[in-house]
Amino acid sequence: MPRLSPPAPGIDAVGAPPTARFSGPLRKRSLLLSIWPFVALAIVQTVLAISSLHILGAMRAFSSGESQWSKGQKDATYALARYAVSGDAAAYEQFHQGLHIPMSDMQARLMLEDRGYAARPQASLLLLQGHNEPEEINALIWLTVYFKHTESIGQLLARWRDSDEPLQELQNLAGDIYACLQLAPPTPAQKQSWLAQINSLQIQLSEAERAFNKVLGDTSRALNAWLWSINIGIAVAMLSLLMGHTWRLQRKTARAEDALDLVSERASTTLAAIGEAVITTDAAGHVMYMNRAAEELLGMSLEQLVTCELVQHMHAPPLVTDRDKPGVAPLVQTAISETLRGHEYPRDTIFRLYDAQFHLREVRLAFTPIGDHTGTTEAVWVLHDVSQEQSYIRELAWQATHDQLTGLINRYEFERLLGVLLARNQQADLPSAGNAIMYLDLDQFKVINDTAGHIAGDAMLRAISAMLQRCLRTGDVLARVGGDEFAILLTDCAFGEAQRIAEQIRDAAQNVRIQWGERSLSAGISIGLVKLAAPLATVEEVLRVADMASYGAKQRGRNTVYAYDPGVDQEIARYVGEMEWVERIKAALERGHFCLYAQTIGALNTTADDIAGGGLHIEVQIRMRLPDGNIISPVLFIPAAERYGLMPMVDRWVVKQSLRTLAHLQKSGQVPAISCCAINLSGTSLGDERLLGFLQEQIALHAVDPGTLCFEITETAAITHLPNAIRLVKALKALGCRFSMDDFGAGVSSFSSLKNLPVDFLKIDGAIVADMLNEPAHRAMVDAINHLGHALGMRTIAEFASTPEIVETLRSMGIDYAQGYAVGRPQPFSHPAAEPFPV
């Protein structure tokens, strides 16, 4: 974090004065900028000198190698001549030893010309066998590889190649002589012929040697002249550069002096014109300079304050210690004095002081030391006026935490304070007197907005907020948390006392009236009061329960108080549990966590089997897959889905996934085929005018045979939405679909309305079937429903056939189908990739 002062007066962390920290790197950089051309030329000169020595060394290696090569070939020709005349084996051995030298050099050259630097290891060995100096071999290889395409070295290598053919012929001639001598003694004519050939080859090799030496000498002289020219040129360039650079430095120095004068003048003008107060003091804090803004701030001129101690002429209000604000900034005078002594203050510290007109200003104080190797000699103080900025910050902070209309704190700040209270209660060792929260919702407030306008609604909200503030105790927290919703946090308040305050507020709200034109407007309040106790531990849980309590108050007729104690009342807990299931259902729809199961419906006679289509007769059932992989029954989540209007989305998911799976099974050729697939439709879906269009669209989209589909509707849902149900049944039956009346016998008006619905199957409620063996009345009901269904041309299905005894009894009674664990348990029925449903 930036500080008002360095670690020690005038000395940085490594013992150097502050100015040295900047002047040192700047001077080094300026020095490098001045001398870099000379450094570059010196480097070029050095590289050139090294390269020149290397090239000269390589030329010397060529000269030395040529002498060894020349000596070897002469020794070889002399020894071969003696061998041709005398046949002496020692002379033949001397020939090979002499010829080995130029032949090794030739082989090394050929390898380097062919493979380049990759042949260096083998070429080095061959050149060493050619009696070349070991320290000159690398230079010889380097020059041959990298300069063979230059004119000079290229001619030199060409003259060297001129000896290749004579050497090869000399070697071949030696082989012929050796072969002849091994067969028979030579004739004088043969000896004469051999000597003539040896002499001819010697002449060719001598001419090649002279040509090589001439090119070598010419190349050495040209190279020497070239290197002299380059060195002289570089020396001239360095001299010219030195003169030009010196001239530029002189001009640069002159410009820098002019610029420095101009900068000094501009700095004085700028300091006088800027709005920030700038003051320069010595190391002891005596004023040396200050600009016009500083004079206006302190109310005194520079002439009056020069050499005076700065802290004596800065005026600040007394320091107020606040136990809730432990980090209160010190007085500005103390900060200046301690900063000069090396004490550190953060740059964002806000100081308060009075200006010349005794107006309170808020300033930030910036300190910059000036010094040399001896330490700090001066200090520059800049007082940045942040009064307006701080005012804006305070205003923005208020707006971020308060409601603009009523001036109360908003939902964000209320939740923060509630979270602080909950955390404090959890950490407290001793139990408190109690805390509670009220959630208030205006009754019929929408009527005021719709009939009198939003301005009248705003006036009512202000009147209600004023009334609430009058009814509360000191320390209670009131907030507007929604359009017509308020929340109150009652601290250190017994629950009985909280109930009294809530009733007082409800009574007072009935007397709140505003005159709007000729109308007198009023609004009641539904209050949900919640005791802050276990298991309510988080802000989210508390607000959700408080909202539920407010909803409970409205359910009881509005303008009432619903008091909820978590340790006693279980109704809100049920609401909370249902709301948790609502979130789980939405998440399951969004993420594809639902899955389908299918349960077999078994035919109890051959006629019923033929009517069902002769294949599998099943009912599709929904399940929910939890994140841990467990599958849960619909009994746990369907009630919440029905209560909170989620069944239409659930039904649509089931229909879409069922048809998708049926289409997949039909294409895959499942055996036995599904001839009748029952899909449940809820009462809420039956009341949806768009359901028929959705079902027709899905049947066409998946190309499923409508004759295999059977939609199950409950007796109660059909009666509640009878016109829609009749229209749906008739439209889908026209496509070929079938219908089943589910849970028949659980309602009270089934017999009178059944004839209005042309369903195909009548499902007897499982609660009746399950106890029919033990309850004669239940058995009689099953028998009556069966006869009624047959009389109306319907087939009957008995649910909850859980034992073989029940199944046999149903068969004997003439029931057409049975469904239950004795017939078959539900099995997974889903396409491999279940799709999520958009919520």
Side-chain angles (χ1 to χ4, degrees):
M1 180 183 291
R3 303 294 179 181
L4 286 182
S5 66
I11 304 297
D12 65 5
V14 295
T19 53
R21 288 179 291 173
F22 304 101
S23 61
L26 289 176
R27 288 173 182 172
K28 291 178 180 178
R29 183 180 179 186
S30 178
L31 179 61
L32 289 175
L33 290 175
S34 300
I35 68 172
W36 76 263
F38 303 100
V39 173
L41 281 174
I43 292 173
V44 171
Q45 182 69 38
T46 303
V47 171
L48 183 61
I50 294 173
S51 300
S52 299
L53 292 175
H54 206 57
I55 292 172
L56 292 174
M59 295 302 295
R60 185 174 62 251
F62 264 110
S63 178
S64 175
E66 187 277 332
S67 65
Q68 294 296 329
W69 167 68
S70 177
K71 180 178 180 301
Q73 81 175 32
K74 290 178 180 179
D75 290 345
T77 54
Y78 175 73
L80 184 58
R82 283 195 302 113
Y83 177 65
V85 174
S86 63
D88 185 6
Y92 188 67
E93 181 63 26
Q94 290 175 0
F95 162 76
H96 279 293
Q97 291 177 358
L99 187 64
H100 183 67
I101 295 173
M103 291 298 289
S104 297
D105 290 343
M106 181 184 71
Q107 292 175 8
R109 174 178 52 76
L110 292 174
M111 293 177 68
L112 292 173
E113 289 178 344
D114 181 42
R115 295 164 52 197
Y117 208 72
R120 178 182 172 277
Q122 297 90 336
S124 298
L125 291 175
L126 290 171
L127 291 172
L128 192 62
Q129 294 174 8
H131 292 188
N132 292 277
E133 294 295 333
E135 61 273 9
E136 295 178 349
I137 289 176
N138 286 334
L140 187 62
I141 293 174
W142 174 75
L143 194 62
T144 301
V145 171
Y146 295 109
F147 292 88
K148 62 184 178 181
H149 298 297
T150 62
E151 182 179 0
S152 300
I153 303 303
Q155 290 182 1
L156 194 63
L157 295 176
R159 301 290 75 77
W160 190 356
R161 291 190 204 98
D162 291 343
S163 64
D164 292 354
E165 186 176 353
L167 285 175
Q168 191 65 45
E169 291 180 2
L170 186 64
Q171 188 177 33
N172 295 337
L173 179 60
D176 292 341
I177 294 173
Y178 177 79
C180 289
L181 290 177
Q182 296 300 317
L183 295 175
T187 63
Q190 284 180 318
K191 291 181 180 181
Q192 190 64 34
S193 174
W194 290 341
L195 291 176
Q197 292 180 54
I198 293 172
N199 185 54
S200 174
L201 292 174
Q202 174 63 30
I203 292 173
Q204 293 179 38
L205 290 173
S206 297
E207 290 177 354
E209 176 188 349
R210 285 192 297 273
F212 181 84
N213 285 331
K214 183 179 184 306
V215 173
L216 181 61
D218 294 342
T219 301
S220 297
R221 287 188 293 273
L223 183 61
N224 190 45
W226 181 72
L227 292 175
W228 268 103
S229 299
I230 291 179
N231 280 277
I232 291 172
I234 290 178
V236 172
M238 290 185 69
L239 182 60
S240 301
L241 182 62
L242 177 61
M243 294 175 63
H245 201 61
T246 302
W247 178 73
R248 283 195 299 272
L249 287 177
Q250 289 176 346
R251 290 192 59 189
K252 185 176 180 181
T253 302
R255 287 196 301 268
E257 291 175 353
D258 294 340
L260 186 60
D261 293 339
L262 181 60
V263 168
S264 179
E265 182 179 351
R266 288 178 178 174
S268 300
T269 304
T270 302
L271 287 175
I274 63 175
E276 307 294 341
V278 180
I279 303 172
T280 302
T281 68
D282 60 15
H286 298 98
V287 177
M288 299 173 61
Y289 167 82
M290 60 183 185
N291 65 352
R292 188 177 305 165
E295 292 178 345
E296 294 175 356
L297 179 65
L298 300 181
M300 300 182 71
S301 65
L302 176 60
E303 290 75 13
Q304 292 174 300
L305 287 183
V306 70
T307 71
C308 294
E309 192 171 357
L310 176 61
V311 296
Q312 298 298 327
H313 298 277
M314 300 192 76
H315 307 287
L319 182 63
V320 178
T321 57
D322 189 344
R323 62 184 179 88
D324 294 329
K325 297 179 180 179
V328 176
L331 293 173
V332 64
Q333 299 96 324
T334 305
I336 292 175
S337 300
E338 293 186 359
T339 299
L340 288 171
R341 291 195 294 268
H343 187 79
E344 299 184 9
Y345 282 97
R347 280 186 180 270
D348 56 358
T349 303
I350 305 297
F351 299 95
R352 307 171 71 206
L353 55 86
Y354 291 114
D355 61 12
Q357 288 75 36
F358 291 97
H359 296 151
L360 189 63
R361 301 277 193 95
E362 292 178 293
V363 299
R364 283 196 182 97
L365 190 62
F367 162 69
T368 303
I370 301 176
D372 52 23
H373 64 280
T374 62
T376 302
T377 58
E378 297 178 9
V380 178
W381 307 88
V382 179
L383 285 76
H384 176 51
D385 190 349
V386 294
S387 303
Q388 190 173 17
E389 175 186 329
Q390 291 299 306
S391 175
Y392 288 153
I393 291 175
R394 284 190 289 269
E395 182 178 353
L396 290 174
W398 188 90
Q399 292 177 359
T401 56
H402 288 74
D403 173 51
Q404 298 293 316
L405 178 64
T406 62
L408 304 177
I409 65 172
N410 58 18
R411 186 183 190 95
Y412 171 80
E413 181 65 9
F414 183 81
E415 290 181 358
R416 188 188 69 81
L417 295 175
L418 176 59
V420 171
L421 178 64
L422 293 175
R424 186 185 304 165
N425 290 344
Q426 291 174 359
Q427 297 173 359
D429 296 331
L430 298 176
S432 63
N435 303 294
I437 181 176
M438 271 193 276
Y439 208 87
L440 304 91
D441 193 344
L442 299 189
D443 297 330
Q444 305 299 333
F445 181 72
K446 188 175 184 299
V447 175
I448 296 177
N449 274 337
D450 292 344
T451 59
H454 289 281
I455 298 178
D458 291 346
M460 176 60 72
L461 290 173
R462 284 192 290 268
I464 290 292
S465 65
M467 177 273 296
L468 293 174
Q469 288 173 309
R470 291 193 299 270
C471 292
L472 296 181
R473 309 167 303 157
T474 302
D476 292 339
V477 178
L478 171 63
R480 182 187 177 199
V481 295
D484 61 342
E485 298 173 346
F486 296 84
I488 300 173
L489 189 59
L490 302 172
T491 57
D492 297 326
C493 181
F495 198 55
E497 175 66 10
Q499 289 177 292
R500 185 194 66 76
I501 295 173
E503 289 293 343
Q504 178 184 348
I505 291 173
R506 186 188 63 79
D507 291 338
Q510 300 181 56
N511 299 322
V512 175
R513 296 181 179 276
I514 62 171
Q515 197 66 30
W516 198 258
E518 297 179 357
R519 299 175 56 188
S520 178
L521 303 178
S522 63
I525 291 184
S526 295
I527 303 175
L529 175 64
V530 177
K531 182 179 182 180
L532 297 184
L536 303 179
T538 66
V539 173
E540 292 76 11
E541 291 175 348
V542 170
L543 292 180
R544 181 170 56 183
V545 171
D547 187 35
M548 289 287 186
S550 174
Y551 177 75
K554 285 186 176 293
Q555 293 287 81
R556 284 163 172 73
R558 303 179 185 273
N559 195 31
T560 59
V561 176
Y562 184 99
Y564 172 64
D565 185 342
V568 177
D569 194 349
Q570 297 300 318
E571 184 173 354
I572 297 296
R574 180 175 62 83
Y575 280 131
V576 172
E578 288 184 345
M579 289 304 297
E580 290 177 351
W581 277 115
V582 167
E583 295 303 320
R584 290 184 183 180
I585 292 169
K586 290 181 178 179
L589 286 169
E590 291 173 350
R591 301 168 188 170
H593 289 171
F594 279 127
C595 58
L596 295 180
Y597 273 60
Q599 187 174 25
T600 301
I601 300 175
L604 300 181
N605 54 69
T606 56
T607 304
D609 189 36
D610 293 339
I611 292 175
L616 287 176
H617 187 181
I618 62 171
E619 178 190 357
V620 174
Q621 302 169 355
I622 190 171
R623 301 286 190 272
M624 182 186 291
R625 184 184 298 107
L626 295 179
D628 60 4
N630 289 327
I631 304 296
I632 59 175
S633 168
V635 176
L636 298 176
F637 58 84
I638 290 298
E642 290 175 340
R643 179 186 290 270
Y644 294 100
L646 296 179
M647 280 309 298
M649 287 187 290
V650 174
D651 285 347
R652 278 163 167 73
W653 185 92
V654 172
V655 169
K656 185 177 180 180
Q657 191 65 24
S658 297
L659 296 185
R660 186 165 176 256
T661 304
L662 280 173
H664 172 72
L665 295 176
Q666 289 175 2
K667 290 179 182 178
S668 63
Q670 175 188 340
V671 178
I674 296 174
S675 59
C676 187
C677 177
I679 302 173
N680 289 277
L681 296 177
S682 66
T684 312
S685 295
L686 285 180
D688 186 356
E689 299 285 345
R690 297 168 297 178
L691 177 63
L692 176 58
F694 172 78
L695 294 175
Q696 292 171 335
E697 175 190 346
Q698 292 297 314
I699 293 172
L701 176 66
H702 294 93
V704 174
D705 180 10
T708 62
L709 300 178
C710 178
F711 293 101
E712 291 192 1
I713 56 178
T714 63
E715 162 191 14
T716 304
I719 295 171
T720 305
H721 305 282
L722 190 59
N724 275 355
I726 294 174
R727 183 174 64 90
L728 179 74
V729 171
K730 289 182 176 179
L732 291 180
K733 283 182 72 68
L735 291 178
C737 299
R738 287 178 280 186
F739 277 83
S740 174
M741 177 73 76
D742 196 12
D743 296 337
F744 191 80
V748 294
S749 57
S750 308
F751 293 96
S752 61
S753 59
L754 185 60
K755 63 179 181 294
N756 295 320
L757 286 171
V759 298
D760 302 277
F761 300 98
L762 193 63
K763 296 188 76 170
I764 306 172
D765 184 59
I768 303 174
V769 176
D771 292 334
M772 61 178 291
L773 299 183
N774 301 320
E775 293 287 341
H778 285 187
R779 179 167 181 166
M781 290 176 64
V782 171
D783 192 44
I785 294 172
N786 181 48
H787 285 297
L788 175 65
H790 287 168
L792 295 175
M794 304 173 188
R795 296 296 170 180
T796 54
I797 303 173
E799 297 181 301
F800 287 19
S802 57
T803 65
E805 291 79 9
I806 293 177
V807 173
E808 291 304 320
T809 302
L810 293 172
R811 181 179 284 111
S812 65
M813 294 173 66
I815 303 294
D816 298 302
Y817 303 93
Q819 180 180 359
Y821 283 179
V823 177
R825 291 179 176 270
Q827 299 295 326
F829 178 77
S830 179
H831 190 274
E835 292 183 343
F837 192 87
V839 177

